[in-house]
Amino acid sequence: MKNLRSAEFAVAVLFAASASAQGWDWRVTPYLWTTGVEGETALGPVARDVDIEFSDIVDVLSGAMLIHVEAENDGHIAFGDLAWLAVEPEDEIATIGGVAEAELDAAIIELGYARDRAPFGFEVGLRYWDLDLEIDPALAAGIVRGDTWADVFGGIRSTRDIGERWALTTRANLGAGGSDLSLGLQMEFARQLAGGNAIVGGLRIIDVDYETESVRGAPFVLDATFFGLTGGFRFD
């Protein structure tokens, strides 16, 4: 629930920022992300792999909220992105004495500034993580921990026309600070419609390597890649 409140607050901030950007062209894109998750999670002495395929996400997704907002003025771009996902993998990983189940609730919030120039511009910003993880071993009490951290990131960005009504935006960035390393990659195609809005779709990858010695007394590890196809409708 804490992650959902963070997501709702982020949505309110993104809409308020875009609505107050007088003199700016702003774009709001609710979208879907067919997220796969691959990596390792650990709480204290209990660790398990997480491997969720694209095709399984509908079965294991218990909640989601995804939105991207941009405001542009004379080549200056302010942007924000929220991806809140709650997943409950159905598979069970063998541990001593039985199996362990896991639930992962993650809010990933990006706020940044970009200059989109040919052939490549740049972007800088903050990537904020709000994560809750629960692992339930078969013969022991469940372990529930949550943590938040923020990474500063920087990278390249490019938008170019590939047809009369088509455009391709490419983003690649690296971040660190709260985590040991985080990586963001995205390719998005936009098909402009007659009314000025657009249908968008592409591929998005976020990788994070985070480890802390103690979250309320237990070591906490997340070394995972969130990846999948995206699709949405952009209001211009």
Side-chain angles (χ1 to χ4, degrees):
M1 291 299 294
K2 177 171 71 70
N3 300 77
L4 181 55
R5 288 193 294 271
S6 296
E8 291 170 342
F9 175 75
V11 169
V13 170
L14 293 177
F15 271 110
S18 62
S20 63
Q22 298 181 1
W24 292 60
D25 296 325
W26 56 277
R27 302 176 286 271
V28 178
T29 310
Y31 66 95
L32 299 175
W33 187 14
T34 59
T35 321
V37 185
E38 185 174 292
E40 181 184 19
T41 62
L43 286 175
V46 181
R48 65 153 286 168
D49 293 333
V50 177
D51 187 2
I52 303 172
E53 301 291 340
F54 291 173
S55 58
D56 297 332
I57 192 64
V58 174
D59 295 330
V60 303
L61 189 68
S62 59
M65 184 183 298
L66 304 108
I67 189 167
H68 184 86
V69 174
E70 290 190 355
E72 182 174 1
N73 188 340
D74 194 26
H76 299 276
I77 302 171
F79 64 90
D81 190 277
L82 164 70
W84 171 69
L85 302 165
V87 295
E88 300 179 9
E90 294 179 331
D91 62 306
E92 298 175 336
I93 301 300
T95 61
I96 298 175
V99 297
E101 299 178 342
E103 297 181 11
L104 179 64
D105 187 350
I108 308 169
I109 302 168
E110 292 183 355
L111 296 173
Y113 167 81
R115 289 280 282 175
D116 203 340
R117 298 173 175 175
F120 289 103
F122 70 90
E123 63 179 29
V124 294
L126 289 174
R127 183 179 294 120
Y128 173 81
W129 295 75
D130 187 351
L131 187 81
D132 286 334
L133 178 64
E134 178 177 354
I135 295 182
D136 296 307
L139 301 180
I143 306 172
V144 182
R145 294 292 186 273
D147 205 4
T148 62
W149 68 90
D151 292 327
V152 178
F153 69 81
I156 60 174
R157 173 181 174 133
S158 172
T159 298
R160 60 189 182 94
D161 295 332
I162 55 175
E164 183 178 353
R165 291 184 175 271
W166 286 90
L168 171 64
T169 297
T170 304
R171 300 175 57 207
N173 59 66
L174 289 173
S179 69
D180 295 331
L181 183 68
S182 63
L183 166 70
L185 297 171
Q186 187 169 6
M187 294 182 63
E188 182 179 81
F189 294 91
R191 172 63 163 86
Q192 189 174 23
L193 303 177
N197 300 324
I199 298 173
V200 298
L203 174 68
R204 188 181 188 191
I205 301 171
I206 298 180
D207 182 87
V208 62
D209 183 2
Y210 177 75
E211 182 174 354
T212 183
E213 294 183 356
S214 178
V215 177
R216 298 201 304 273
F220 184 96
V221 174
L222 176 68
D223 185 359
T225 302
F226 298 77
F227 59 96
L229 302 176
T230 60
F233 190 87
R234 189 179 74 199
F235 297 90
D236 288 354

